[in-house]
Amino acid sequence: MLTIGFEGKRLLSSLTGFGTYSRTLIRDICRFYPETRCVLIAHDSYKALNKLPTFSSLEIQQIKRLDSIKVVYPPSTWHLYWKLLGAKRTLYSQGIDIYHGLAHQIPRSVRQKRVPIVLTVHDLIYRHYPGLFSGEDLNLYESQLLNACSISEKIVAVSESTKRDIVNFFSISPQKISVIYSACDYRYHTIATAEKIQQTRSIYGLPEKYLLYVGSMSERKNLLSVVKSLNI
């Protein structure tokens, strides 16, 4: 049995972007490779996470209930101990064969254990548009991402564009990077009937042609250009 350790920060706290990617990936692993054991290593204690409204969402609870999933939470106290030793010992005790960082970072405790590391990199947009990230320490972010890329045995880039950026900005060998596009959750595989589409349009008062956007409303999504191009 293969046991994969996953960084669980965004999976357990975010309902968009990295969180959606993480849950879809792990759900598919459990569905198509049921013999694989998945261990989610939470970034905070159960007590702290349980105070977040997102933690009790159906999206996250469905993942936690999967048979192949085990969630490991750090203690409510002794945070420094957990970062330096506790998390490392958890990797040993859980028999982790591979560690997968799902959102650009590899914790210090994981780097100290000799376990193969896979890292997913979604984009390096901050490099192209730093002005969209005011108030953030981009030097620190870049340092952490570069370090994570350097120590990982394999990097998953979600697009060819991201792969090019990793190679050009970080001088990482392209042979180390595999492009694997983000999967679409199975719930979106069903094609709606014409009757269902008409019914939905009637409920929401939609015209025959309209734009549906389901991402977060942030400037870097470039929604203004999309609307202008549609001449709305």
Side-chain angles (χ1 to χ4, degrees), residues 67-84:
D67 293 336
S68 303
I69 294 290
K70 178 179 178 60
V71 184
V72 178
Y73 300 94
S76 299
T77 55
W78 299 92
H79 296 292
L80 183 59
Y81 164 79
W82 172 261
K83 289 183 178 180
L84 297 179

Side-chain angles (χ1 to χ4, degrees), residues 24 27-28 31-32 62 183-190:
T24 301
R27 186 185 290 113
D28 285 348
R31 183 184 182 192
F32 296 107
Q62 285 178 336
C184 179
D185 191 276
Y186 68 90
R187 82 187 87 174
Y188 302 118
H189 293 186
T190 302

Side-chain angles (χ1 to χ4, degrees), residues 37-155:
R37 180 168 172 261
C38 299
V39 179
L40 304 183
I41 303 175
H43 64 291
D44 211 339
S45 67
Y46 178 85
K47 182 178 180 181
L49 289 173
N50 201 37
K51 295 178 181 179
L52 302 176
T54 53
F55 189 65
S56 59
S57 68
L58 181 61
E59 287 281 313
I60 293 176
Q61 294 304 314
Q62 285 178 336
I63 293 294
K64 290 170 57 184
R65 296 190 193 111
L66 292 173
D67 293 336
S68 303
I69 294 290
K70 178 179 178 60
V71 184
V72 178
Y73 300 94
S76 299
T77 55
W78 299 92
H79 296 292
L80 183 59
Y81 164 79
W82 172 261
K83 289 183 178 180
L84 297 179
L85 292 174
K88 180 180 178 181
R89 290 180 177 176
T90 295
L91 296 178
Y92 281 109
S93 65
Q94 294 298 324
I96 302 297
D97 297 305
I98 300 174
Y99 182 87
H100 190 164
L102 298 168
H104 296 194
Q105 294 183 340
I106 302 297
R108 185 187 311 170
S109 57
V110 176
R111 300 177 219 158
Q112 296 171 351
K113 185 182 186 302
R114 294 179 180 176
V115 59
I117 295 174
V118 177
L119 176 73
T120 293
V121 178
H122 298 267
D123 62 62
L124 275 71
I125 189 173
Y126 72 93
R127 270 284 198 155
H128 297 281
Y129 303 102
L132 299 179
F133 299 85
S134 60
E136 296 189 33
D137 189 343
L138 296 184
N139 290 329
L140 175 61
Y141 182 83
E142 169 138 332
S143 174
Q144 293 174 338
L145 179 54
L146 174 58
N147 180 266
C149 288
S150 299
I151 66 173
S152 298
E153 277 72 23
K154 196 69 177 177
I155 298 172

